[in-house]
Amino acid sequence: MKKLNDESGVALTLISARVLKNRTQGRADAKPVRDDVEVGEALLNTENSKLRGVLDQRIGQTNEVNFRQSELASALRELNLRVTLKVDRDLTDPRYRAVFVKTPNEAIRTMTNDELSRYTHGVLAQLAAEPSFASVPTAEVADALANFDDACATRETLYAQESAARGAVHSARLSLIQIINLAFPRLTVIYPKQKALVESFFYKPAKGDLVD
């Protein structure tokens, strides 16, 4: 038997469990070993299913973040145009420079999500502080920013859940690997002098098998 190691992936660990479980099916002497494998397999399947679920949510939420960022970008560009018109398109005007330390295009291109949020909060604060820009509408940017911040916060929660789920899968995988590896000496005791039979209980990847 080739032992699994701590780096053996989920797919390899699960197929190894299924082969061991199926090959010992109906053998009363091997039932305690089979039962232990079933318990470990069920736990890993459960935790892996949870991970896939939260991973799918997090990936979907990333799409939501990207969508909300595009909305925020459009709103910032429109706001920038309105402010530009207020200063007669003079981008060196101190009032303009106080609001837009970077242009929206530059900010969106170079900033992380957290930085973009802080940048936009700063734009709104500086705009509110300048009396000559009092007539410039900011509701669209404020709404887009709120949606963007909410989307990012939700994704951060999902990232935390994903991390916890990965930890649970890791723990369940190592537990099942140990059960499978210990099954060999246990079955050797149950079936002494039947090495070929014991070896046949364990998965041996064939040439061309695509298992991680």
Side-chain angles (χ1 to χ4, degrees), residues 76-187:
L76 279 169
R77 291 186 185 105
E78 178 64 24
L79 181 65
N80 179 260
L81 177 59
R82 291 177 181 276
V83 173
T84 300
L85 293 175
K86 284 287 185 180
V87 295
D88 296 326
R89 301 183 185 278
D90 179 7
L91 303 188
T92 65
D93 189 302
R95 295 170 299 165
Y96 175 86
R97 297 295 296 273
V99 175
F100 291 104
V101 179
K102 292 185 176 183
T103 66
N105 284 339
E106 184 182 2
I108 292 157
R109 186 178 67 253
T110 63
M111 291 182 173
T112 65
N113 289 332
D114 286 345
E115 290 170 341
L116 181 59
S117 177
R118 289 194 293 270
Y119 164 84
T120 307
H121 280 286
V123 165
L124 292 175
Q126 289 297 323
L127 200 61
E130 175 51 58
S132 60
F133 295 149
S135 63
V136 175
T138 59
E140 185 178 353
V141 171
D143 289 345
L145 176 59
N147 290 334
F148 177 67
D149 284 343
D150 286 347
C152 290
T154 298
R155 186 173 64 169
E156 285 305 307
T157 298
L158 290 171
Y159 267 126
Q161 292 175 6
E162 181 184 343
S163 179
R166 288 189 185 280
V169 168
H170 179 74
S171 178
R173 181 178 57 81
L174 292 182
S175 177
L176 181 53
I177 286 171
Q178 183 178 47
I179 291 169
I180 292 170
N181 287 341
L182 288 176
F184 187 83
R186 292 175 68 187
L187 289 166

Side-chain angles (χ1 to χ4, degrees), residues 1 33 181-195 197-199 201-202:
M1 172 205 172
V33 175
N181 287 341
L182 288 176
F184 187 83
R186 292 175 68 187
L187 289 166
T188 299
V189 170
I190 295 170
Y191 301 105
K193 299 180 181 180
Q194 298 186 65
K195 183 178 180 181
L197 173 64
V198 173
E199 289 280 357
F201 293 149
F202 297 88

